Amino acid sequence: MNAPMPEPLVEVSDLCREFDVSKPWLNRLIEREPKQFLRAVDNVHFNINKGETLALVGESGSGKSTIAKMLVGLLEPSQGTILFGGQRMRTDTSAEMQVLRKRFQMIFQSPYASLNPRWRVGEVIAEPMTVLAIVKDRREIQKRVDELLVLVGLSAADARKFPHEFSGGQRQRIAIARALSANPEFIVCDEPTSALDVSVQAQILNLMRDLQDELGLTYLFISHDLSVVRHMANRIGVLYLGALVEIADSKTLFSNPVHPYTKMLLDAVPDLAMTGRERKRVEGEIPNPINPPTGCTFHPRCPFANERCKREVPLLKAYGTGVASCHAVEEGRID
Amino acid sequence: MTTPVLSVKDLVVEFPTRHGPLTAISGVSFDLAPGEILGMVGESGAGKSLTGSAIIGLLDPPGRIASGEIWLQGERIDQLRGDDMRVLRGRRVGMVFQDPLTSLNPLYTIAEQLIETIRTHLEISVNEARKRAIGLLDDVGIPAASRRIDDYPHQFSGGMRQRVVIALALAAEPALVIADEPTTALDVSVQAQIIEVLKEQCTQRGASIMLITHDMGVIAETADRVAVMYAGRIAEIGPVKDIIQNAMHPYTSGLMGSIPSLTQEDDRLVQIPGAMPRLAAMPAGCAFHPRCERVFDKCTASRPQLIPMGTHEVSCWLYDDATAVAAKP
Amino acid sequence: MEQLSTFLASDFFYKFRRSPVAVGAFVVALLMVLAAVFAPLLATQNPFDPGSLNLMNGFSIPGEPNQFTGETFVLGTDDQGRDVYSTILYGLRISLFVGFSAVLFAMVLGATLGLIAGYTGGRTDSIIMRIADIQLTFPAILVALLIFGIAKGITPPSYRDEVAIWVLIIAIGLSDWVQFARVVRGATLVERNKEYVQAAKLIGRKPMGIMVKHILPNTLGPVLVIATISLALAIIAEATLSFLGVGAPPTQPSLGTLIRVGQGFLFSGEYWILLYPAATLLALALSVNLLGDWLRDALNPKLK
């Protein structure tokens, strides 16, 4: 194997994000409660290489959407850095950030809320081009909008319509056309198909893969659905309560999961092929993220937890081609 | 043959509009045997939830049952109104919805709600009912049930709340439980637990389940038979394993192929072009024909009825003896 | 043309056509506005041009020839011989002009502050909304009276009649901006978290552009409803102020001024000087209010 050295496009290190979830000042004063913080993202590291799809999977409260927002400069990290093509990501609109903004885009979860209902489809798609001053000539913009609509499987005549005239799947195509209009290298896809029906989901996933091949895009794919993630990603990161518990190649993660939480997630997926795959019973629920468990946050649900797990936060260690953070794996208590 | 718990015959649900009535459910028929779990699967707009609402008389106006019959344990129920319908819903049909908070009253404790439901069904004292209620909560897997029974709904997590709803649905020992997307709002790791509790508890009590969901995985785990719905009609109905492994209707096989697999390598998913037709623009003949790759002239002309094919019933002209020959390449 | 035909085919227009109250209110309100706009053409005289008046015509009884001049006035005349029909037309002009302008002023001010408060949040939001709360504790008429008093104090007497109308507009507008601000702020809080706003932020659109181009158009539905209901209230507020003698001056009388003047003749039997302006005001306020109520219900999907 002589694969070229992967070239990182996005480098995320020590990323943390806290939210102030305190009650209003007066209530705190009366009830004598301190300020409360929710640590949505806790010390997350990863790289995304050029041309690959990295998926982040997790359940509610895992911090996956918060990471997505920080990665595209919609949210300031509380700690840590995000480098995009070697440049530091910020939330302001300075000239250098505006140059950087041409290079990344995002596709959102809801095809209904992500398009302004009062704008014509043509205006929606043209917005990134005009705001980022990529194409200035009006006729040129028109031409590019038409091309993009055809590229995502709609027709040029659709530019004059309003979003409500389209179905959910078609709207998601429009959102993809908008994301492509500024010619980005990197697209963050935040649950792009979770609001769609399966047959439409298949259309959108196929389209996204075709576009990746055609345009050489890099994706960060965020989802709660393991089978979708397996279909789309080269590498997968598993998040639990804001922390990254495992990253591995897609194939390795599914054939040989290391972290007990990853194993549990895999066991929770219904067996559609009815192969009689052996599965363990899933136990427990996700704890309240405002008051997470001590040590390894997964320990109350983990069949392998011991005293050390309750006390000490595990660090990411390399196992094979991937990394995982688990005391039990490190100590060899799990094979 | 035993009487089916639920028997739906040629159900038609319409929504009157100023441009004339829109037919949302068009001639749906199926039976549900005692203790059986029937899955109703389909994409949004297929009419699966509407079928459930029609059975329990909860259609949102102006929607109405235009024709057809619904029988519960040998008694016709589609013409029940007002109090009769409420009694039926409380005692003989249990309901579990997507959002547990729609079934639970936030102003009352779990105990109050459970005891009330139990006592509409059984003439026992409050103390007796409370004991039964604790037993029910134990059965659905609420830890420390005797303590938590006096909590309010908001004090439970999403998964626990759905367990409470299941206990409430079973409290009056109904013959039928209608579960409409019971796991859709829950996390993956909680979904599996809820499905298991629902199945286990209903089976123990001999209640039949009508499980309405868009998730084929949930159906595969739970149901005995499955009805695949498309555009207000049943496209195919039969035993789950047969439908999943040997789908006959082109829509069913397309649907199965479009689900990404956890175990198989697939570069491209099967995709069905287009989208479910709107009610106002229902195609003539087979509603699926504009999206079907095996369409032939008969499909555009007239609507296929369910044709028995081995263990399945399929509504597709490909399986009609008289026309099948013409369609074969 | 294309937009007109889409509108005529829309559910909104269908619902409108099916509601007799809405159609009736709309027709009455439209007639009033047309009458006000074309007042100079419809009136028999300009009642405020002293040259066109004949004192001999004073106190003509509606529909009967005047005992001195033999002229007939449909709605009678007042003590100065002004045709009541014509004064109503001109009074309607002032009333509607003040009403529309005051609502427009309140709408622009309220929507701007509401948009800024909702989008910026934090301290700016707190300051704007606390001011709004404080203002709400004073009755609207009191606020208007206060502003009116201040304006009167700072303008030289010779200008007073000229600026009176504008002071009236500002006074009513300032007492009415709060509800626009609240509604727009509420809608902004909902819209600013929607993903299309995130998409605009992502490409570095400035807050001003996001507020004006993205959020504002999506808050206009409820604003329109409030504006219609406010119009009825503003017309009544104007009439009240004018009735109290702090509104439109006798040289430019509104319906309220006419009622104030007319009430002096009520007990001497010349009922028409009061009755007809009052009836006009009632019909105007009622029709606009009914239209506003209907619009609120028609645009609220929850009440379907």
Side-chain angles (χ1 to χ4, degrees):
Chain A
M1 288 268 279
N2 240 338
M5 265 298 277
E7 194 185 339
L9 180 65
V10 181
E11 294 157 86
V12 174
S13 41
D14 300 324
L15 193 64
C16 295
R17 172 73 208 198
E18 281 186 338
F19 290 104
D20 187 346
V21 291
S22 317
K23 291 181 182 162
W25 172 81
L26 200 60
N27 293 44
R28 283 206 314 273
L29 196 75
I30 294 167
E31 293 164 28
R32 295 177 185 280
E33 277 181 17
K35 277 198 155 197
Q36 271 192 319
F37 292 95
L38 183 152
R39 190 154 251 230
V41 176
D42 191 9
N43 232 349
V44 166
H45 294 259
F46 60 86
N47 287 350
I48 305 173
N49 298 327
K50 266 191 186 143
E52 79 165 345
T53 301
L54 174 76
L56 291 180
V57 10
E59 301 179 277
S60 58
S62 67
K64 53 191 193 301
S65 288
T66 309
I67 295 179
K69 280 189 185 157
M70 288 193 280
L71 244 59
V72 290
L74 286 174
L75 204 60
E76 193 82 49
S78 307
Q79 228 181 82
T81 52
I82 299 164
L83 296 182
F84 183 88
Q87 266 180 286
R88 193 169 171 160
M89 184 70 76
R90 294 197 315 266
T91 51
D92 60 60
T93 52
S94 61
E96 47 193 303
M97 252 328 271
Q98 287 306 89
V99 174
L100 200 61
R101 282 177 203 276
K102 294 178 187 177
R103 297 173 61 190
F104 58 82
Q105 262 296 336
M106 182 156 175
I107 299 168
F108 297 89
Q109 174 172 6
S110 163
Y112 298 93
S114 71
L115 307 176
N116 189 334
R118 306 263 166 187
W119 285 32
R120 284 180 200 278
V121 166
E123 298 168 311
V124 169
I125 296 176
E127 194 188 13
M129 285 188 264
T130 46
V131 174
L132 293 167
I134 290 166
V135 188
K136 290 199 179 107
D137 180 54
R138 273 187 62 191
R139 211 167 302 149
E140 195 112 339
I141 290 177
Q142 178 78 45
K143 200 175 135 233
R144 176 113 177 96
V145 167
D146 292 354
E147 285 169 8
L148 285 164
L149 279 168
V150 174
L151 184 68
V152 298
L154 296 167
S155 79
D158 289 333
R160 299 206 44 207
K161 295 185 187 162
F162 284 98
H164 69 84
E165 296 173 60
F166 296 89
S167 68
Q170 288 172 319
R171 286 181 196 217
Q172 207 58 313
R173 289 176 193 267
I174 295 167
I176 292 174
R178 171 179 60 194
L180 293 175
S181 90
N183 245 329
E185 306 157 49
F186 173 56
I187 300 182
V188 172
C189 318
D190 186 5
E191 304 253 19
T193 60
S194 66
L196 303 176
D197 280 318
V198 268
S199 73
V200 179
Q201 164 173 288
Q203 297 171 9
I204 299 297
L205 293 181
N206 283 341
L207 174 67
M208 288 177 63
R209 278 181 73 152
D210 292 345
L211 291 170
Q212 182 170 38
D213 292 344
E214 209 169 310
L215 306 170
L217 297 167
T218 306
Y219 286 146
L220 173 69
F221 196 94
I222 294 197
S223 180
H224 68 279
D225 186 331
L226 280 169
S227 51
V228 168
V229 159
R230 180 177 188 271
H231 182 74
M232 294 298 288
N234 305 103
R235 283 193 306 138
I236 298 172
V238 180
L239 291 161
Y240 187 73
L241 281 179
L244 201 53
V245 297
E246 181 168 1
I247 304 188
D249 283 346
S250 180
K251 272 183 199 152
T252 322
L253 190 96
F254 280 89
S255 60
N256 215 347
V258 173
H259 197 282
Y261 176 63
T262 313
K263 290 181 180 169
M264 191 185 95
L265 264 187
L266 285 171
D267 281 338
V269 180
D271 183 11
L272 190 56
M274 305 193 108
T275 50
R277 171 167 62 94
E278 201 189 311
R279 292 161 55 194
K280 279 208 199 75
R281 244 181 110 129
V282 174
E283 305 276 349
E285 287 186 44
I286 300 158
N288 184 352
I290 294 177
N291 229 332
T294 54
C296 171
T297 50
F298 187 60
H299 84 252
R301 300 174 76 184
C302 183
F304 306 99
N306 64 8
E307 277 308 309
R308 186 181 172 204
C309 300
K310 289 180 195 168
R311 239 180 20 242
E312 204 180 306
V313 180
L315 299 173
L316 282 172
K317 296 233 156 70
Y319 300 98
T321 53
V323 292
S325 62
C326 176
H327 295 311
V329 175
E330 188 193 333
E331 293 165 11
R333 283 189 275 129
I334 313 176
D335 48 18
Chain B
M1 240 195 85
T2 50
T3 341
V5 170
L6 177 74
S7 178
V8 175
K9 290 178 184 154
D10 229 0
L11 180 69
V12 176
V13 172
E14 282 181 354
F15 285 84
T17 70
R18 65 179 161 118
H19 305 292
L22 294 178
T23 312
I25 306 282
S26 160
V28 163
S29 306
F30 60 89
D31 283 348
L32 188 52
E36 186 183 35
I37 302 176
L38 175 73
M40 299 283 276
V41 74
E43 301 180 280
S44 44
K48 52 191 192 307
S49 287
L50 221 48
T51 308
S53 311
I55 291 169
I56 50 179
L58 284 180
L59 280 177
D60 285 329
R64 60 191 187 87
I65 298 177
S67 66
E69 296 170 11
I70 301 167
W71 296 74
L72 184 74
Q73 295 177 302
E75 184 194 338
R76 188 158 174 190
I77 60 165
D78 53 291
Q79 284 155 339
L80 294 183
R81 293 283 172 272
D83 279 345
D84 294 338
M85 200 56 184
R86 261 194 294 281
V87 169
L88 175 97
R89 278 204 296 268
R91 294 192 194 156
R92 295 171 62 192
V93 182
M95 289 168 296
V96 181
F97 295 110
Q98 174 172 343
D99 179 3
L101 291 179
T102 56
S103 316
L104 297 173
N105 188 331
L107 299 177
Y108 294 95
T109 63
I110 302 302
E112 288 167 314
Q113 303 187 41
L114 273 173
I115 290 169
E116 194 198 324
T117 314
I118 291 171
R119 293 188 71 207
T120 60
H121 167 66
L122 293 170
E123 288 191 16
I124 52 175
S125 69
V126 174
N127 269 338
E128 199 75 9
R130 189 182 164 89
K131 262 183 216 150
R132 290 184 82 106
I134 293 171
L136 264 171
L137 290 180
D138 253 339
D139 288 346
V140 296
I142 305 261
S146 53
R147 191 164 45 81
R148 298 224 60 190
I149 191 168
D150 291 313
D151 284 352
Y152 287 89
H154 73 265
Q155 291 167 291
F156 289 83
S157 68
M160 286 299 154
R161 248 179 240 153
Q162 199 62 300
R163 286 175 198 261
V164 173
V165 171
I166 293 173
L168 200 60
L170 293 169
E173 299 188 3
L176 170 67
V177 172
I178 296 182
D180 190 353
E181 304 275 5
T183 59
T184 306
L186 304 173
D187 275 313
V188 197
S189 67
V190 182
Q191 271 184 17
Q193 303 172 36
I194 296 300
I195 278 296
E196 202 177 294
V197 166
L198 180 69
K199 184 173 177 172
E200 184 187 282
Q201 292 305 316
C202 289
T203 314
Q204 271 177 23
R205 290 171 168 73
S208 306
I209 307 178
M210 181 173 154
L211 178 63
I212 300 165
T213 176
H214 69 282
D215 190 337
M216 208 61 190
V218 170
I219 298 275
E221 294 269 283
T222 323
D224 303 313
R225 280 195 310 143
V226 59
V228 181
M229 289 199 68
Y230 185 82
R233 303 157 189 196
I234 292 181
E236 184 164 6
I237 182 167
V240 170
K241 200 160 182 173
D242 290 1
I243 299 258
I244 285 177
Q245 292 174 347
N246 184 22
M248 297 181 94
H249 198 286
Y251 173 64
T252 320
S253 52
L255 194 65
M256 296 306 302
S258 63
I259 305 171
S261 159
L262 261 192
T263 45
Q264 267 163 4
E265 284 303 320
D266 37 12
D267 251 12
R268 280 187 76 79
L269 299 166
V270 177
Q271 61 179 58
I272 309 174
M276 178 100 57
R278 295 186 185 188
L279 287 184
M282 199 57 73
C286 172
F288 185 61
H289 85 254
R291 301 175 72 187
C292 183
E293 45 183 23
R294 299 178 68 185
V295 60
F296 60 105
D297 44 359
K298 183 131 193 192
C299 305
T300 56
S302 55
R303 182 183 158 184
Q305 298 301 318
L306 281 172
I307 305 162
M309 290 295 295
T311 56
H312 304 205
E313 287 177 75
V314 192
S315 69
C316 177
W317 288 121
L318 285 172
Y319 302 98
D320 184 57
D321 288 338
T323 53
V325 187
K328 294 266 154 64
Chain C
M1 269 326 281
E2 185 202 342
Q3 278 175 341
L4 183 70
S5 62
T6 347
F7 175 74
L8 290 179
S10 67
D11 284 352
F12 179 78
F13 185 68
Y14 176 77
K15 266 194 257 174
F16 174 74
R17 232 177 27 179
R18 290 281 298 262
S19 161
V21 174
V23 175
F26 179 74
V27 168
V28 171
L30 187 70
L31 282 178
M32 297 271 186
V33 171
L34 289 177
V37 171
F38 296 110
L41 299 177
L42 297 171
T44 54
Q45 49 167 243
N46 180 350
F48 304 103
D49 173 9
S52 68
L53 298 182
N54 182 353
L55 270 177
M56 299 295 278
N57 280 331
F59 296 128
S60 298
I61 300 163
E64 286 176 29
N66 184 279
Q67 50 181 326
F68 304 110
T69 60
E71 286 182 65
T72 310
F73 299 91
V74 191
L75 300 181
T77 59
D78 67 2
D79 57 335
Q80 314 270 328
R82 288 193 197 103
D83 174 24
V84 170
Y85 165 69
S86 302
T87 55
I88 289 177
L89 287 178
Y90 277 83
L92 204 55
R93 273 192 134 185
I94 303 287
S95 285
L96 277 170
F97 175 72
V98 171
F100 270 116
S101 311
V103 169
L104 192 69
F105 174 62
M107 190 165 82
V108 171
L109 182 70
T112 310
L113 288 175
L115 198 58
I116 293 171
Y119 189 75
T120 332
R123 190 160 296 176
T124 319
D125 182 28
S126 301
I127 291 172
I128 292 176
M129 294 326 285
R130 284 311 82 75
I131 292 174
D133 287 345
I134 291 167
Q135 174 156 358
L136 273 188
T137 60
F138 295 102
I141 214 78
L142 202 64
V143 176
L145 276 174
L146 182 74
I147 292 162
F148 207 85
I150 294 170
K152 210 167 186 176
I154 55 174
T155 45
S158 53
Y159 286 108
R160 258 179 218 162
D161 275 10
E162 272 171 54
V163 298
I165 295 289
W166 299 102
V167 172
L168 201 54
I169 290 169
I170 291 172
I172 297 173
L174 274 183
S175 69
D176 203 33
W177 67 274
V178 173
Q179 45 176 338
F180 287 100
R182 289 196 157 179
V183 163
V184 170
R185 175 178 174 269
T188 304
L189 287 177
V190 174
E191 296 296 324
R192 76 161 185 196
N193 288 324
K194 287 202 178 156
E195 292 169 341
Y196 71 86
V197 173
Q198 308 265 310
K201 274 189 192 165
L202 186 129
I203 50 173
R205 245 214 151 116
K206 305 267 191 317
M208 187 69 184
I210 293 177
M211 281 193 267
V212 175
K213 295 222 162 178
H214 280 287
I215 295 178
L216 188 63
N218 284 297
T219 61
L220 288 183
V223 166
L224 190 69
V225 173
I226 296 206
T228 317
I229 296 172
S230 289
L231 179 61
L233 295 176
I235 288 167
I236 291 175
E238 183 278 329
T240 311
L241 287 172
S242 296
F243 182 81
L244 294 175
V246 292
T251 50
Q252 289 169 293
S254 69
L255 291 175
T257 322
L258 294 180
I259 293 168
R260 173 164 64 100
V261 174
Q263 62 143 359
F265 302 106
L266 189 58
F267 293 109
S268 51
E270 290 86 14
Y271 65 91
W272 59 86
I273 306 178
L274 170 69
L275 181 69
Y276 295 118
T280 312
L281 178 68
L282 184 73
L284 177 65
L286 189 66
S287 62
V288 174
N289 208 350
L290 286 174
L291 206 57
D293 275 352
W294 176 82
L295 205 59
R296 184 187 55 204
D297 296 347
L299 292 180
N300 186 351
K302 279 185 200 139
L303 284 176
K304 260 182 199 166

